[in-house]
Amino acid sequence: MMKYLQRLGKSLMLPVACLPVAGIMLGLGYWIDPAGWGSGNVIAAFLCKAGSALIDNMALLFVIGVAVGMADDNDGTAGLAGLVSYLMITTLLSPGAIQMFTGAEEANVAFTKIAGNQFIGILSGLIGGGCYNKFKSTKLPDALSFFSGKRSVAIVTSAVTVVVSVILFFVWPFVYGLLVGFGTWVASTGAVGVGIYGFFNRLLIPFGLHHALNSVFWFDAVGIADLYKFWGLGGYEATTTAGEVGQYMTGFFPVMMFGIPGAALAMYHTAKTNKKKVAAGLLGAAALCSFLTGVTEPFEFAFMFLSPVLYVVHALITGIVCAVCALLPVRAGFTFSGGFIDWVLCAKLPAALNTWMIIPIGLVVAVIYYVIFRALITKLDLKTPGREDDDIEAEKKVVLSNDNFTEVAKIVLEGLGGKENIKSLDNCITRLRLEIKDYTRVDEKKIKSAGVAGVMRPSKTSVQVIVGTKVQFVADEMKKML
């Protein structure tokens, strides 16, 4: 399950990467025409409409991105299947359809939140990707052979989606009620609730489920719509009273612009002397990415599974900072994330309040992150970047004896028992990571004859082949063979 959730999180990065350009366009459009969101300027209107095209259709981006990302070979057929699922769910559970099914004069308000819902987008993507993986090689009788293989995926997806839609028909109002209850409770607790939200926002990132939580507070899942109201999106008029909205976004700016760079500096200073250059490259790029755009995953994924305790501390600090910012007379909002670009673009919005205060607050947050991270890393001997065990570092220096990656992949695959013995293939920085069906068919001598450094077998169904830093090329060739 953990591997599945990690893969989901990785899949969400594809659609999320589409959003920075939308935020920049919206920001520039409003910068040109702050009074009318483009109504008085053609260029501003063009930019605002272009940005809104992505922001307002975020659920569709999630559908395609998740479906393709969860497919074993990232095939576009999975994306089509995900779209089929999304269109069916949003049609079958639309308010009009619900009224027709039940004969009620009005549908439950929960079903007004189905279309365009990011959670439904993720769910549809999972259905499409799962059906693709399971049925992409289906063989049908000769009379139906046209629908064999990948052509069968959309058909199966449709059948599965009908079942899921029936389940959602009964479950969605209950789930929606819980979300409304949670959102209402958080909203009623003021700054404490903002802090709780900030904590869970970070805590769910490893599973890629923070987007579902964000839809409660940023978008229109339950009517809070903090982001929509701040920018005037999703059918809402832009809020013109400074400080009225933005409380669920403001606290992320100090963390993303200053806190994460402070934590990265602490990791660099605690890295082993012979690994500081490597750590500087990784951590420096991740810190700059977080500061400029608010994209924190390159930094967080670098340590969250190596040091889970440290990641929980990161989530706690984020929650505290969000709560404190909610109490202070400062409000800032973003269309993408809490980085420098969004901070600059939101400063002229009517809903913004004392955005300059993000800088002094952020400097304090940076010191807090640095001190706490450095103390915990050294006291608990946490394996953050640059503090890995020497055997892991040694793997990065492994050199294949044969640069014919096709030949290496072929020999390794034979040693693993052939493609019919492979359940899944992935790779990290230095290793091929495989799930196999029959461990007795694995021939380690055959695998090592390919010129690889070693073979590890963590369990009866797992095999890791140590290739070195050229592992990606071997993995690509093997994927072709599979």
Side-chain angles (χ1 to χ4, degrees), residues 45-339:
F46 188 89
L47 290 170
C48 289
K49 290 295 183 183
S52 298
L54 295 180
I55 297 294
D56 293 344
N57 291 289
M58 201 180 303
L60 282 172
L61 297 180
F62 284 179
V63 171
I64 306 298
V66 170
V68 173
M70 296 299 287
D72 289 337
D73 52 5
N74 303 126
D75 194 282
T77 305
L80 177 63
L83 182 59
V84 166
S85 179
Y86 179 79
L87 292 175
M88 289 185 68
I89 291 177
T90 53
T91 300
L92 289 172
L93 299 180
S94 65
I98 296 298
Q99 286 179 261
M100 183 176 65
F101 298 151
T102 61
E105 292 186 6
E106 289 187 9
N108 189 310
V109 67
F111 294 107
T112 64
K113 306 299 181 181
I114 288 287
N117 188 286
Q118 291 79 19
F119 172 76
I120 298 299
I122 294 171
L123 177 62
S124 300
L126 292 174
I127 293 172
C131 288
Y132 174 81
N133 293 336
K134 188 73 173 177
F135 298 101
K136 65 178 181 292
S137 301
T138 298
K139 294 181 179 180
L140 298 174
D142 291 342
L144 300 172
S145 59
F146 176 80
F147 298 103
S148 294
K150 294 180 181 179
R151 291 191 182 99
S152 70
V153 174
I155 299 172
V156 176
T157 299
S158 300
V160 172
T161 300
V162 169
V163 175
V164 172
S165 297
V166 172
I167 295 172
L168 286 173
F169 176 80
F170 296 101
V171 173
W172 184 252
F174 174 73
V175 173
Y176 180 82
L178 289 178
L179 288 174
V180 171
F182 180 67
T184 302
W185 174 75
V186 167
S188 69
T189 55
V192 174
V194 176
I196 293 172
Y197 160 66
F199 170 71
F200 281 106
N201 173 278
R202 294 295 95 182
L203 205 62
L204 290 174
I205 280 183
F207 312 110
L209 299 177
H210 58 302
H211 294 292
L213 184 65
N214 291 343
S215 68
V216 176
F217 297 95
W218 293 353
F219 311 118
D220 195 25
V222 298
I224 296 176
D226 200 43
L227 187 152
Y228 280 169
K229 292 176 181 177
F230 195 96
W231 291 84
L233 300 171
Y236 287 92
E237 292 292 330
T239 299
T240 57
T241 304
E244 195 170 277
V245 294
Q247 61 266 35
Y248 296 103
M249 297 181 285
T250 305
F252 291 105
F253 283 93
V255 172
M256 294 173 177
M257 290 173 59
F258 297 94
I260 284 178
L265 183 62
M267 290 183 181
Y268 170 74
H269 284 162
T270 54
K272 296 180 180 178
T273 303
N274 62 330
K275 300 178 183 179
K276 282 188 180 293
K277 287 186 178 180
V278 175
L282 172 65
L283 296 170
L288 181 62
C289 181
S290 178
F291 175 79
L292 287 176
T293 68
V295 176
T296 60
E297 283 81 359
F299 175 75
E300 290 164 333
F301 276 94
F303 78 96
M304 64 171 60
F305 297 114
L306 293 171
S307 308
V309 172
L310 197 61
Y311 191 79
V312 173
V313 171
H314 166 49
L316 283 170
I317 298 175
T318 300
I320 293 171
V321 173
C322 286
V324 171
C325 287
L327 291 170
L328 296 174
V330 54
R331 292 291 182 269
F334 45 76
T335 55
F336 175 60
S337 196

Side-chain angles (χ1 to χ4, degrees), residues 288-459:
L288 181 62
C289 181
S290 178
F291 175 79
L292 287 176
T293 68
V295 176
T296 60
E297 283 81 359
F299 175 75
E300 290 164 333
F301 276 94
F303 78 96
M304 64 171 60
F305 297 114
L306 293 171
S307 308
V309 172
L310 197 61
Y311 191 79
V312 173
V313 171
H314 166 49
L316 283 170
I317 298 175
T318 300
I320 293 171
V321 173
C322 286
V324 171
C325 287
L327 291 170
L328 296 174
V330 54
R331 292 291 182 269
F334 45 76
T335 55
F336 175 60
S337 196
F340 177 79
I341 294 173
D342 269 307
W343 175 69
V344 171
L345 293 176
C346 82
K348 293 183 67 175
L349 291 172
L353 177 66
N354 297 327
T355 56
W356 64 268
M357 289 181 63
I358 294 294
I359 295 177
I361 294 171
L363 292 174
V364 174
V365 171
V367 173
I368 292 172
Y369 261 92
Y370 179 84
V371 172
I372 293 177
F373 267 55
R374 181 160 187 167
L376 288 175
I377 290 170
T378 53
K379 186 174 181 61
L380 302 178
D381 190 25
L382 300 176
K383 304 301 180 184
T384 50
R387 293 176 61 84
E388 305 96 336
D389 294 330
D390 291 334
D391 58 337
I392 297 176
E393 185 65 23
E395 289 179 18
K396 296 179 183 178
K397 300 177 182 178
V398 170
V399 178
L400 278 175
S401 61
N402 181 3
D403 271 347
N404 185 338
F405 303 117
T406 303
E407 183 66 19
V408 172
K410 180 181 178 182
I411 296 172
V412 171
L413 187 56
E414 290 176 0
L416 290 166
K419 65 179 183 180
E420 64 276 2
N421 197 38
I422 306 299
K423 293 173 64 178
S424 68
L425 165 66
D426 201 354
N427 66 275
C428 62
I429 297 175
T430 60
R431 303 183 185 191
L432 294 172
R433 296 176 180 269
L434 304 109
E435 291 293 319
I436 57 171
K437 298 176 182 177
D438 184 358
Y439 75 97
T440 62
R441 297 176 61 181
V442 177
D443 184 346
E444 293 191 18
K445 289 184 178 180
K446 180 71 174 179
I447 296 173
K448 290 179 181 178
S449 71
V452 301
V455 180
M456 295 187 65
R457 303 173 73 168
S459 71

